[in-house]
Amino acid sequence: QQPTIVDRLAELYPAVYRRLHARRERGARAPSPEALAVMTHMEAAGPLTVSEAARHFGRAQSATSELVNRLQARAWVSRMRDPQDKRRVLVWLTETGFAELKRSREVLDRGLLVRTLQS
């Protein structure tokens, strides 16, 4: 019996998947699910203090502060003084953070897709 298109796709899919997701396999340091959740929340809510973020996420302030420190070390967020109240320090996404969020929403690496289709 001749293999169907479904049979052929099922046979080829693992190799296609591995090829198109090579960025992950090369050890790219993608954000953790927790980091993505925090960054996505910030994108929707706007700049927050660490205390406000802790309340939003239902986490201890110390744990939220540690997470923000990790995100800041990766240049995905930055801290800045609140323009309305200089005593408050806000956390907000950087250009790099916005770009990482955008990348995380892409299912396929477009560059790899183009090279795969050309080969």
Side-chain angles (χ1 to χ4, degrees):
Q1 178 178 349
Q2 187 103 12
T4 67
I5 188 80
V6 172
D7 295 331
R8 195 73 180 116
L9 181 60
E11 178 186 326
L12 295 173
Y13 185 77
V16 171
Y17 181 89
R18 282 191 301 276
R19 191 156 186 193
L20 295 177
H21 290 81
R23 180 175 76 147
R24 290 186 187 132
E25 291 176 6
R26 283 194 303 263
R29 292 181 47 204
S32 68
E34 178 184 43
L36 283 175
V38 169
M39 292 165 62
T40 300
H41 182 84
M42 283 185 183
E43 179 184 41
L48 300 167
T49 66
V50 171
S51 298
E52 291 166 342
R55 282 194 300 276
H56 281 260
F57 308 137
R59 300 193 62 186
Q61 184 171 341
S62 60
T64 303
S65 183
E66 287 176 22
L67 177 57
V68 167
N69 288 342
R70 289 194 306 272
L71 296 175
Q72 189 172 15
R74 305 279 298 272
W76 292 336
V77 301
S78 65
R79 288 178 165 95
M80 61 188 167
R81 292 276 171 202
D82 184 337
Q84 278 78 39
D85 182 349
K86 300 292 184 200
R87 296 169 295 174
R88 289 171 30 108
V89 176
L90 300 172
V91 179
W92 184 230
L93 294 165
T94 62
E95 291 296 321
T96 304
F98 279 112
E100 192 58 45
L101 272 177
K102 183 178 184 236
R103 256 190 310 280
S104 74
R105 292 176 179 137
E106 293 175 352
V107 176
L108 300 174
D109 182 311
R110 293 191 186 267
L112 288 174
L113 181 57
V114 168
R115 287 193 302 276
T116 298
L117 293 174
Q118 289 173 344
S119 55

